[in-house]
Amino acid sequence: MNLGVLVSGRGSNLQAIIDAIEGGRLKDRITLVISDREGAQAIERCKKHGLAYKIIRKKDFRNKEEFEGVMAKTLKEAGVELVVLAGFMRILSEVFLQYFPMRVINIHPSLTPAFQGVGAQRQAIEYGARITGCTVHFVTEELDNGPVIAQACVPVLLEDTEESLSKRILIHEHRILPQVIRWISEKRVKVEGRKVTVEGARYGTLPFNPDLEAF
Ligand code: GRF
């Protein structure tokens, strides 16, 4: 499967996908990485691993629609079959999504529908949640709230800072994102309304955590 990865910053989730491919755990290829920010650390990762990348900045377009249209067409022309939002800090509208119906996934650092939007880890601490985690979901027009494909949970400790909690969650992000890409690549993912089922996946071997197979 040809993957297109959208990034805005550090790119550690992009790195997790690269590592899964280079380690032979994913049979897919990253056809194109798009960053909406120049100077993103994710771009350095592309250079290091010889990945094609483009910087497409919103401010270079007249409006959001034009920006999204160009991004979608660029990905289509590159032959991208699945778009992965890996720390992409923008909300995509129907203008983009119509090009990739149910073919855009996102990783979000909370158990959705809790703590949507920015600062999800801080929101969990401030709310006093005892458990939080991360979610890989299909992207729909609802912010951070499309059908859930996989979630993993972590405890929120009394002494947690935003940084310590983010770090604990990130370990799981790096596991479930490549895992979901593999499930989709193997055509094991079915969606009916909000309900996503993964053929042959064993849920519940750890409380609330999907079976992470090779990841
Ligand atoms: C991750 O926590 C991801 O869940 C969120 O943004 C962060 C991106 O991190 N959407 P990275 O750029 O992949 O390191």
Side-chain angles (χ1 to χ4, degrees), residues 152-172:
C153 68
V154 303
V156 183
L157 305 179
L158 290 174
E159 63 273 23
D160 263 332
T161 59
E162 186 175 358
E163 195 189 358
S164 64
L165 179 59
S166 300
K167 219 166 140 188
R168 191 173 311 120
I169 295 172
L170 202 59
I171 295 167
H172 292 273

Side-chain angles (χ1 to χ4, degrees), residues 12 28 38 44 55 62 64 74 79 103 106 137 154-156 166 177 198:
S12 70
D28 311 284
E38 46 197 346
E44 296 311 312
I55 297 162
R62 274 178 302 187
K64 188 172 189 265
T74 307
R103 296 305 279 179
N106 180 45
H137 62 90
V154 303
V156 183
S166 300
L177 184 59
V198 182

